[in-house]
Amino acid sequence: MTLRDRLTDSMYGLGWGAVKKLPEPVAVRLGRSIADLAWKRRGKGVRRLESNYARVLPDASPERLAELSRAGMRSYLRYWMESFRLPAWSAERVKAGFDPEDVHHLTDGIASDRGVILALPHMANWDLAGAWVTTKLETPFTTVAERLRPESLYDRFVAYREGLGMEVLPHSGGTAFGTLARRLRDGGLVCLVAERDLSSSGVEVQFFGEATRIPAGPALLAQQTGALLLPVTLWYDDSPVMRGRVHPPIEVPEAGTRAEKTSVMAQALADAFASGIADHPEDWHMLQRLWLKDLDPERSPAGGTA
């Protein structure tokens, strides 16, 4: 393990070990102070966040984008402060910590035993939403985690999410899809963060008027297993309670090849994500390159700079 890896692992370990012991008002202030400091330094992640927001709000002034990126960093640090503290929350606090709209789409799907796929973008606190599902709805689920460096940090994340009641599969290795399909055929629940393609082999969609790729997994799983595919978007308001919406199901087209059906479903998923992000852009934590023009210099003469 390199020195950088050891430092990264130590910092996350400190967060989970120390932040959860702080009084909540102190943790809230700490998160906001760290967010404001990072925003003022205008590092690579902040500049990329602001660039991504410019895709969401193409008519926004530089002042508005700066204001939005500051709010975005505060939202991002709220996610981290909550996540560090979440293992210490009582069951009642978890149940009261999330208030989703149209949750009947999810509960009806669970009751049907046909299997349900929840697909989310990186908005607000998806870990809290997952803990709410396992606690409030008393429904376990399976998810997939990106391999992180160092390996010890990945192990921390797996242990953290398993402690919240999730079954966590590694993104790499090629076996995750088969396991997810088996869980769905057994009437289970699968939750996937799905607006950023980590494999470079995703489905091309239009997202805020420009091309990007999103994972094909949710659409393919729905086709192969008959499971219900439900987009979910999340956001914060000024209260301690996170808000969210379970969108109507994305149906499998009756006609077309598998690739054609996957393309239609992926676009519908991207459209649902875009509707939630457009309403609450500051709660979309996308600090990485996403659009193909930023990922592929040949698609854009300027390429991406952050």
Side-chain angles (χ1 to χ4, degrees):
M1 186 186 298
T2 66
L3 175 59
R4 180 178 179 179
D5 287 346
R6 287 198 298 270
L7 288 172
T8 299
D9 182 62
S10 297
M11 290 300 294
Y12 280 99
L14 179 64
W16 268 299
V19 172
K20 68 180 178 183
K21 298 177 182 178
L22 295 174
E24 185 161 348
V26 175
V28 170
R29 289 196 299 271
L30 176 62
R32 179 162 290 198
S33 296
I34 294 172
D36 288 349
L37 178 61
W39 178 78
K40 289 176 182 177
R41 292 181 63 184
R42 291 195 59 78
K44 184 178 180 179
V46 173
R47 287 182 282 117
R48 175 50 55 189
L49 181 67
E50 203 165 290
S51 174
N52 289 338
Y53 286 158
R55 275 2 196 282
V56 178
L57 298 171
D59 297 327
S61 66
E63 293 78 15
R64 170 62 178 141
L65 290 174
E67 177 185 85
L68 193 59
S69 65
R70 183 178 188 180
M73 289 303 296
R74 287 182 171 184
S75 175
Y76 185 49
L77 263 295
R78 176 174 171 175
Y79 158 73
W80 279 112
M81 291 295 132
E82 284 182 349
S83 294
F84 287 144
R85 296 170 58 79
L86 199 51
W89 282 17
S90 68
E92 291 307 311
R93 175 65 191 282
V94 171
K95 292 176 184 178
F98 181 38
D99 183 23
E101 302 171 3
D102 298 329
V103 74
H104 65 90
H105 292 304
L106 173 56
T107 53
D108 290 350
I110 293 171
S112 73
D113 288 329
R114 63 181 284 191
V116 178
I117 306 158
L118 294 180
L120 306 88
H122 289 79
M123 292 187 76
N125 191 338
W126 47 96
D127 287 326
L128 172 55
W132 183 88
V133 168
T134 61
T135 306
K136 175 76 172 180
L137 301 185
E138 299 181 341
T139 303
F141 65 87
T142 304
T143 188
V144 175
E146 177 185 359
R147 282 281 186 189
L148 300 172
R149 291 185 58 193
E151 189 73 15
S152 56
L153 179 58
Y154 171 77
D155 292 340
R156 286 185 189 273
F157 270 97
V158 170
Y160 157 64
R161 288 177 172 140
E162 288 179 342
L164 299 176
M166 311 175 193
E167 179 188 20
V168 183
L169 307 175
H171 181 271
S172 59
T175 61
F177 188 91
T179 303
L180 295 174
R182 286 193 295 274
R183 299 291 183 269
L184 291 168
R185 290 191 181 102
D186 289 339
L189 177 64
V190 164
C191 299
L192 301 170
V193 181
E195 94 281 29
R196 181 168 174 250
D197 177 41
L198 296 174
S199 66
S200 298
S201 60
V203 183
E204 186 167 321
V205 295
Q206 289 295 306
F207 196 54
F208 293 102
E210 291 190 38
T212 187
R213 285 187 295 264
I214 69 171
L220 289 173
L221 284 167
Q223 291 177 59
Q224 293 193 18
T225 67
L228 200 66
L229 175 55
L230 299 175
V232 178
T233 51
L234 309 171
W235 65 91
Y236 292 126
D237 57 18
D238 294 330
S239 77
V241 179
M242 184 176 71
R243 311 296 175 178
R245 181 189 176 200
V246 182
H247 295 251
I250 294 174
E251 303 293 343
V252 177
E254 294 184 3
T257 65
R258 185 174 72 167
E260 290 168 343
K261 292 178 180 180
T262 301
S263 179
V264 170
M265 295 174 73
Q267 186 61 62
L269 190 60
D271 291 344
F273 290 165
S275 70
I277 293 168
D279 288 341
H280 305 281
E282 68 277 8
D283 293 313
W284 185 41
H285 307 152
M286 185 50 62
L287 280 72
Q288 297 85 20
R289 301 182 187 200
L290 184 74
W291 280 271
L292 298 186
K293 284 185 179 179
D294 296 333
L295 293 166
D296 184 357
E298 292 184 2
R299 293 187 178 236
S300 175
T305 59

